[in-house]
């Protein structure tokens, strides 16, 4: 019979049908235990369990799917309210945002909605700015504050918010804008007259002094407008925003000497520590260091280290903060205070600073000040900044203030407290310092013990530092004794120990191709070039290196990056080093196995 003729038999009619094991293993019903009987409610239901289907108890209400969804949504909303303190406010702002972003809404209605949103956010902008919903509202409000709306509308809306909320709002708009929009926003902070010039965004002038000159604005009117904005910002200490830093640095270029001195007096101290992490903030700090009095410099330096915390390490590791420390090392004459607050903190973390891109900068400024090899043009320009009005005053008061200022510096080194000085102009010192730069470097670098500790760290990490793209620069400057040979008179023996450490690593056998886990110090790109520079610039190091690591082995090192080190022995200006290596190296040159690069020709 074919399979098509077969009909499926009913399960109940098939006596020989065997049930699957899963159906066979039914558990026998057990009699309820005493505990079960005790936990049952009077109606026969167990405690904590739902009643059986078909229960006639009318007190239990069965929810529909829609009602269950509504209940789950309410529970979710309740959890969000407990987790987010401003959840209800964010929902209200989202509703307003949906209304104000519509295209068919009139200008009057949109202004009312914006005003309502700002009123709801009053005093809370800095707390809700990080929220996704609130940030969307802030973005919309920021884009609304353009010259499309009249000035009176902007003033009416912003007059009801606090300064803290206002700066959060403006800074948020500043971050969202492109270069032209940022310049337009800054222009309104410079002067209300700039709103009349529609071609401001197309001009190449970005500095307020250049804008005043090109547009023919009244300088006095611009200064009064900027002062009205700057003064409450400083008095309230609202200095955490980038746009504030930009506004203040531009204000210092046009402010008269009394106003500039007021800014320096207000900022010197803890406020500046909050600003040094930005480009403009660090430049403001450098201006305060350069033009501040001995008392104001002392307040700034002391603010870097409090009883609870020290900010020196984080400042030194910051791209812009590290330049503030470099400026302090170059200007402040109170070397005892600088050593106590800053140098001691740097000593505790020297290895990480030397290995860091930013942390090495203050150390390099002490070893080789203002070197274009280690500092960019922008870095060097920031170190050379000054306040025009205070520079004019300095030139006229230099003769009378030199002796007085030096005496005040010496007094500050001995005392921890200084009495309040009466006039703002009296608190401003001559730009720069009075102490000889070389003497200041010796006190900060050598007499403080920093150089000795730095040499020890270089000895301990010789191979790692030489192979590092950043640490190799510090290693080189330490090994050559620093600019002007500042380390050589007193630390020559320590430097010989460093030379021996480098030569010992270089004397290690050349690894086989199959055994190379890391490059030899003479073959590594960074270390080979640093060692070559040391051979050319330090005869003592060159002599130790050749005798301990290269003599009799030059042929095996005549290829690759090490060949540049060998050629340096024939290119050095030192006759003794050249004659010492010539016998072994000249043979390789004649054979063509070693090429002379010719960067430095011997006399």
């Amino acid at each position: 019979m074919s399979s098509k003729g077969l009909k499926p038999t009913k399960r109940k009619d098939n006596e020989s049908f065997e049930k699957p094991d899963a159906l066979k293993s039914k558990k026998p019903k057990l009699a309820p235990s005493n505990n079960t009987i005790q936990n049952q409610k009077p109606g026969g239901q167990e405690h904590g369990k739902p009643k059986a289907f078909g229960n006639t108890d009318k007190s239990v209400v069965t929810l529909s799917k829609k009602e269950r969804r509504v209940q789950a949504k309410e529970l979710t909303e309740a959890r969000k309210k407990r987790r987010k303190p401003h959840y209800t406010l964010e929902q209200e702002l989202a509703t307003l945002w949906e209304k104000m972003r519509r295209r068919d809404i009139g200008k009057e209605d949109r202004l009312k909605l914006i005003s309502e949103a700002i009123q709801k956010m009053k005093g809370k902008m800095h707390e809700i700015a990080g929220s996704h919903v609130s940030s969307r509202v802030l973005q919309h409000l920021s884009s609304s504050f353009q010259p499309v709306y009249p000035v009176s509308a902007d003033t009416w809306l912003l007059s009801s918010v606090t300064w803290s909320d206002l700066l959060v709002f403006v800074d948020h708009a500043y971050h969202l804008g492109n270069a032209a929009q940022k310049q337009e926003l800054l222009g309104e902070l410079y002067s209300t007259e700039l709103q009349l010039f529609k071609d401001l965004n197309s001009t190449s002038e970005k500095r307020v002094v250049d804008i005043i000159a090109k547009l023919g604005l009244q300088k006095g009117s611009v200064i009064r407008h900027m002062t009205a904005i700057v003064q409450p910002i400083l008095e309230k200490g609202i200095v955490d925003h980038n746009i504030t830093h930009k506004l203040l640095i531009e204000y210092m270029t046009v402010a008269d000497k009394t106003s500039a001195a007021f800014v320096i007096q207000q900022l010197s101290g803890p406020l500046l520590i909050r600003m040094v992490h930005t480009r403009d903030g660090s430049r403001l700090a450098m201006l305060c260091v350069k033009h501040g009095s001995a008392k104001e410099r002392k307040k700034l330096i002391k603010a870097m280290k409090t009883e609870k915390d020290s900010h020196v390490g984080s400042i030194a590791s910051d791209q812009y903060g590290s330049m503030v420390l470099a400026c302090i090392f170059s200007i402040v004459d109170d070397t005892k205070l600088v050593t106590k607050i800053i140098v001691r903190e740097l000593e505790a973390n020297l290895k990480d600073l030397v290995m860091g891109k930013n942390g090495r900068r203050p150390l390099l400024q002490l070893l080789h000040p203002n070197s274009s090899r280690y500092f960019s043009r922008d870095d060097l320009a920031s170190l050379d900044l000054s306040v025009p009005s205070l520079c004019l005053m300095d030139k006229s008061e230099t003769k009378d203030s030199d002796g007085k200022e030096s005496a005040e510096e010496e007094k500050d080194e001995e005392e921890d407290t200084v009495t309040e000085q009466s006039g703002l102009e009296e608190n401003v010192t001559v730009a720069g310092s009075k102490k000889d730069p070389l003497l200041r470097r010796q006190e900060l670098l050598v007499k403080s013990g920093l150089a000795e500790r730095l040499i020890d760290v270089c000895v301990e990490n010789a191979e790692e530092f030489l192979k590092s793209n950043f640490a190799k620069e510090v290693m080189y400057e330490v090994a050559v004794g620093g600019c002007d040979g500042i380390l050589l008179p007193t630390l020559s023996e320590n430097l010989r120990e460093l030379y021996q450490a480098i030569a010992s690593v270089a004397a290690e056998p050349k690894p086989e191709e199959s055994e190379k886990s890391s490059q030899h110090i003479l073959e590594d790109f960074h270390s080979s070039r640093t060692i070559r520079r040391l051979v050319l610039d330090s005869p003592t190091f060159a002599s130790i290196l050749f005798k301990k690591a290269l003599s009799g082995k030059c042929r095996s090192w005549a290829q690759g990056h090490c060949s540049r080190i060998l050629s340096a022995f024939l290119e050095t200006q030192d006759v003794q080093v050249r004659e010492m290596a010539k016998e072994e190296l000249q043979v390789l040159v004649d054979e063509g196995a070693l090429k002379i690069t010719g960067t430095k020709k011997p006399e």
Side-chain angles (χ1 to χ4, degrees):
M1 183 182 293
S2 66
S3 60
K4 293 182 179 180
L6 294 176
K7 294 183 178 180
T9 58
K10 293 184 178 180
R11 185 172 179 177
K12 63 181 180 177
D13 296 335
N14 190 359
E15 299 296 338
S16 62
F17 177 78
E18 291 187 12
K19 296 181 179 180
D21 295 339
L23 297 178
K24 287 182 179 180
S25 59
K26 285 189 175 181
K27 296 182 180 179
K29 294 183 179 179
L30 302 176
S33 63
N34 293 334
N35 292 336
T36 306
I37 295 174
Q38 290 176 1
N39 291 333
Q40 286 182 345
K41 292 183 179 180
Q45 179 190 357
E46 278 191 45
H47 180 71
K49 293 185 178 181
K51 292 185 178 181
F53 182 78
N55 200 315
T56 57
D57 191 351
K58 295 182 180 181
S59 62
V60 178
V61 180
T62 304
L63 299 177
S64 64
K65 289 184 178 180
K66 183 177 180 180
E67 290 171 334
R68 286 198 298 271
R69 285 196 298 268
V70 172
Q71 187 182 45
K73 186 176 181 180
E74 291 175 351
L75 291 174
T76 303
E77 293 288 321
R79 285 195 299 269
K80 289 182 178 180
K81 288 180 180 179
R82 289 195 301 269
R83 190 171 65 250
K84 300 180 180 180
H86 299 294
Y87 178 75
T88 303
L89 173 61
E90 292 175 7
Q91 297 304 306
E92 294 174 356
L93 292 175
T95 303
L96 290 173
W97 176 48
E98 289 296 334
K99 294 179 180 179
M100 71 177 70
R101 66 197 289 257
R102 290 170 53 186
R103 295 185 179 181
D104 58 349
I105 190 172
K107 182 186 297 185
E108 297 282 339
D109 295 334
R110 180 175 281 113
L111 286 174
K112 290 180 181 179
L113 292 172
I114 292 175
S115 176
E116 184 180 353
I118 292 178
Q119 287 292 341
K120 289 181 178 294
M121 291 188 289
K122 184 177 180 180
K124 303 171 184 176
M125 284 189 183
H126 62 287
E127 299 177 13
I128 66 175
S131 166
H132 176 73
V133 175
S134 304
S135 63
R136 288 293 184 185
V137 178
L138 284 172
Q139 288 177 20
H140 185 81
L141 294 179
S142 303
S143 62
S144 298
F145 278 81
Q146 301 293 337
V148 175
Y149 294 107
V151 178
S152 58
D154 286 359
T155 307
W156 168 59
L157 288 173
L158 295 177
S159 61
S160 60
V161 302
T162 64
W163 269 99
S164 178
D165 286 347
L166 174 61
L167 283 175
V168 170
F169 176 80
V170 176
D171 193 59
H172 194 80
Y174 185 74
H175 279 290
L176 292 174
N178 55 34
Q181 291 169 337
K182 287 180 178 180
Q183 188 62 25
E184 185 176 2
L185 185 58
L186 284 169
E188 297 195 15
L189 296 177
Y190 297 157
S191 173
T192 55
E193 299 175 9
L194 293 178
Q195 297 179 16
L196 303 175
F197 295 90
K198 302 299 182 182
D199 60 338
L200 175 63
N201 293 335
S202 61
T203 63
S204 59
E205 286 75 13
K206 304 301 179 184
R207 300 169 63 238
V208 65
V209 290
D210 298 331
I211 295 174
I212 291 173
K214 180 169 184 178
L215 301 181
L217 302 178
Q218 293 183 352
K219 185 177 179 180
S221 175
V222 173
I223 293 176
R224 285 192 297 272
H225 179 79
M226 294 181 73
T227 302
I229 298 175
V230 166
Q231 189 167 351
I233 288 175
L234 296 176
E235 291 175 350
K236 297 177 183 296
I238 311 171
V239 295
D240 297 312
H241 308 293
N242 289 20
I243 193 170
T244 305
H245 304 172
K246 183 65 175 178
L247 174 65
L248 288 173
I249 199 70
E250 290 295 330
Y251 180 68
M252 295 294 274
T253 63
V254 296
D256 56 72
K257 58 185 180 181
T258 303
S259 301
F262 171 77
V263 173
I264 292 174
Q265 188 185 58
Q266 292 294 112
L267 288 180
S268 296
L271 286 184
L272 272 182
I273 307 303
R274 294 156 50 187
M275 302 173 66
V276 296
H277 62 280
T278 69
R279 180 177 181 269
D280 293 316
S282 67
R283 291 189 167 203
L284 278 169
M286 293 183 216
L287 291 178
C288 291
V289 171
K290 182 174 290 189
H291 294 285
S293 66
K295 174 195 170 188
E296 288 160 351
R297 292 173 179 177
K298 188 173 185 178
K299 285 174 58 179
L300 169 60
I301 294 171
K302 281 194 168 184
M304 294 184 179
K305 184 179 180 182
T306 61
E307 294 181 359
K308 296 182 180 179
D309 194 15
S310 174
H311 305 284
V312 176
S314 59
I315 293 175
S317 301
D318 184 77
Q319 177 183 0
Y320 301 109
S322 58
M323 293 305 300
V324 177
L325 295 185
C327 179
I328 290 174
F329 287 162
S330 304
I331 291 178
V332 178
D333 289 340
D334 189 352
T335 54
K336 290 184 179 179
L337 178 66
V338 176
T339 299
K340 178 182 177 182
I341 302 295
I342 299 178
V343 173
R344 292 292 172 257
E345 289 294 317
L346 297 182
E347 283 181 344
N349 197 28
L350 268 184
K351 181 180 178 181
D352 291 339
L353 293 176
V354 172
M355 295 283 290
K357 178 181 179 180
N358 302 316
R360 65 195 177 117
R361 287 178 171 180
L363 302 174
L364 288 170
Q365 181 66 4
L366 287 174
L367 291 165
H368 196 145
N370 302 332
S371 172
S372 59
R373 185 182 184 92
Y374 309 129
F375 297 97
S376 66
R377 291 183 179 180
D378 189 65
D379 293 335
L380 295 176
S382 66
L383 291 173
D384 197 40
L385 284 177
S386 58
V387 179
S389 60
L390 297 181
C391 285
L392 293 175
M393 183 184 70
D394 293 340
K395 291 178 181 179
S396 63
E397 298 181 359
T398 299
K399 294 182 181 180
D400 298 332
S401 64
D402 282 353
K404 180 181 178 181
E405 188 62 33
S406 298
E408 186 180 2
E409 291 275 0
E410 294 296 328
K411 184 178 179 181
D412 281 345
E413 292 182 6
E414 303 295 334
E415 299 178 0
D416 288 333
T417 57
V418 181
T419 56
E420 189 76 25
Q421 295 183 6
S422 53
L424 285 175
E425 295 180 17
E426 295 177 2
N427 284 339
V428 181
T429 185
V430 178
S433 59
K434 308 299 180 298
K435 189 173 290 187
D436 180 71
L438 182 59
L439 176 60
R440 187 190 312 107
R441 287 174 59 211
Q442 287 174 339
E443 292 175 352
L444 292 174
L445 189 58
V446 182
K447 293 182 180 180
S448 68
L450 175 61
E452 186 174 0
R453 176 60 186 141
L454 188 56
I455 294 175
D456 292 340
V457 172
C458 289
V459 170
E460 296 167 4
N461 305 276
E463 182 175 5
E464 186 177 5
F465 282 4
L466 285 171
K467 290 183 177 181
S468 169
N469 187 30
F470 301 129
K472 66 177 183 180
E473 308 290 6
V474 178
M475 174 68 94
Y476 169 80
E477 290 296 340
V478 170
V480 297
C483 182
D484 302 318
I486 192 171
L487 307 183
L488 295 177
T490 56
L491 297 170
S492 56
E493 291 301 320
N494 302 70
L495 291 176
R496 289 186 69 89
E497 184 181 350
L498 176 59
Y499 302 156
Q500 293 287 349
I502 298 175
S504 297
V505 179
E508 293 179 359
K510 188 176 183 180
E512 299 294 336
E513 291 294 332
S514 59
E515 299 177 357
K516 281 189 177 181
S517 57
S518 62
Q519 284 188 316
H520 192 279
I521 193 174
L522 298 178
E523 293 182 319
D524 180 77
F525 177 84
H526 296 299
S527 58
S528 63
R529 276 151 178 75
T530 305
I531 293 174
R532 171 183 165 80
R533 290 178 64 197
L534 289 174
V535 170
L536 292 170
D537 298 333
S538 176
T540 305
F541 169 77
S543 178
I544 292 176
L545 177 67
F546 189 84
K547 292 177 181 178
K548 190 165 187 174
L550 297 174
S551 181
K553 307 174 185 176
C554 292
R555 185 174 295 276
S556 62
W557 291 109
Q559 302 297 325
H561 292 307
C562 186
S563 62
R564 297 175 60 86
I565 298 176
L566 296 180
S567 66
F569 283 95
L570 297 178
E571 299 165 17
T572 180
Q573 301 286 338
D574 189 270
V575 178
Q576 293 182 351
V577 173
R578 197 163 63 241
E579 292 298 326
M580 175 187 63
K582 185 175 181 180
E583 182 179 354
E584 186 172 351
L585 295 179
Q586 190 62 48
V587 177
L588 300 177
V589 174
D590 296 339
E591 294 176 357
L594 179 64
K595 295 181 180 180
I596 306 298
T597 58
T599 56
K600 285 190 178 182
K601 296 182 179 180
E603 295 179 356

